[in-house]
C-alpha cells in the first residue's frame, strides 16, 4: 500500500516529494512492487512511477510475471481479489466460488514454483501483499470471514529464498 488514498499531483499531498524520492532511488536501482489494497492503491496510481525516466525501472509485477536481474528473480502476488481470481467464472454459488478462489491461488503458487524450478541458479524473492494465516498482528487487526489468506506452507510451495510480506495496516 504505497498510497492510503488517491493523491493529487500537488505539494499539498507531498506527491512531488514522493516522485523526487522515487526518482532518486531509480537512479541507483530498480524498484519492484506488487499492487496493494484496491481502496489504497487506486487503479492507475502506479502509472506515473512506471513511466518515470530513470536509469532503472519501477516495475509492478502482475501475477505470474517474473522480474529478472543478473543472479536474481523476483516473483509477486498482489493482494488476492475475487475479481481477478474468479475472472470468467460467472454463475457460481458461494461454496463453488470459494473453492474456485482456493484453486486459483494454488494454481498461481504452483506456477510461480514452476518458474522457480526453471531457474534454480537464481536467488528468488517472493513479494506477497495479502493475509498470512497464523501471523501475529500487534495492532489487534483480525482476519474477517471471507478474506483470502495464505498459509506459510502455501508460500513455501514457491521455493523462494526470501519472502517479503505486506498488507497488515
Amino acid at each position: 500500500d504505497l498510497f492510503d488514498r488517491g493523491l493529487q499531483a500537488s505539494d499539498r499531498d507531498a506527491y512531488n516529494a514522493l516522485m523526487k524520492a522515487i526518482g532518486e532511488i531509480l537512479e541507483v536501482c530498480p524498484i519492484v512492487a506488487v499492487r496493494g489494497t484496491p481502496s489504497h492503491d487506486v487503479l492507475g496510481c502506479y502509472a506515473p512511477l512506471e513511466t518515470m525516466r530513470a536509469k532503472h525501472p519501477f516495475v509492478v509485477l502482475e501475477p505470474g510475471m517474473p522480474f529478472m536481474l543478473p543472479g536474481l528473480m523476483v516473483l509477486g502476488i498482489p493482494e488476492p481479489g475475487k475479481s481477478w481470481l474468479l475472472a470468467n467464472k460467472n454463475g457460481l454459488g458461494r461454496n463453488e466460488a470459494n473453492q474456485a478462489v482456493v484453486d486459483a491461488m494454488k494454481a498461481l503458487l504452483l506456477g510461480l514454483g514452476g518458474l522457480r524450478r526453471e531457474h534454480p541458479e537464481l536467488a528468488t524473492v517472493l513479494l506477497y501483499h495479502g493475509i498470512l494465516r497464523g501471523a501475529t498482528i500487534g495492532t489487534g487487526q483480525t482476519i474477517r470471514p471471507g478474506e483470502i489468506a495464505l498459509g506459510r506452507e502455501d508460500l513455501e510451495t514457491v521455493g523462494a529464498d526470501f519472502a517479503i510480506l505486506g498488507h497488515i495496516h
Side-chain angles (χ1 to χ4, degrees):
D1 291 330
L2 180 58
F3 305 102
D4 65 351
R5 59 185 163 76
L7 297 181
Q8 294 185 17
S10 68
D11 287 334
R12 185 195 77 183
D13 282 341
Y15 178 83
N16 295 331
L18 172 67
M19 294 298 282
K20 182 177 184 277
I22 288 176
E24 290 172 358
I25 294 168
L26 292 176
E27 289 301 321
V28 177
C29 65
I31 296 174
V32 183
V34 293
R35 295 185 197 288
T37 306
S39 62
H40 295 248
D41 289 349
V42 297
L43 189 61
C45 70
Y46 288 113
L49 302 173
E50 292 176 290
T51 58
M52 288 184 84
R53 292 180 187 221
K55 184 176 179 181
H56 300 280
F58 187 104
V59 177
V60 179
L61 294 176
E62 297 299 332
M65 180 187 90
F67 178 73
M68 310 285 244
L69 288 169
L72 177 68
M73 176 169 55
V74 183
L75 304 171
I77 304 171
E79 181 167 342
K82 290 181 180 177
S83 61
W84 61 271
L85 290 170
L86 295 177
N88 303 319
K89 292 187 172 38
N90 300 321
L92 297 178
R94 187 172 140 203
N95 291 340
E96 292 172 311
N98 288 340
Q99 186 59 51
V101 165
V102 169
D103 294 344
M105 285 303 295
K106 284 184 181 180
L108 175 59
L109 291 164
L110 288 173
L112 294 176
L115 285 170
R116 173 67 177 118
R117 285 186 295 283
E118 287 177 20
H119 300 282
E121 75 285 1
L122 299 177
T124 301
V125 174
L126 174 65
L127 306 178
Y128 170 56
H129 184 93
I131 297 170
L132 185 65
R133 280 191 314 274
T136 302
I137 305 168
T139 62
Q141 184 178 350
T142 59
I143 299 173
R144 295 182 304 256
E147 286 191 296
I148 301 167
L150 295 178
R152 182 180 184 154
E153 68 283 355
D154 297 319
L155 295 179
E156 288 173 348
T157 64
V158 174
D161 299 298
F162 188 74
I164 299 172
L165 311 177
H167 179 62
I168 306 305
H169 43 70

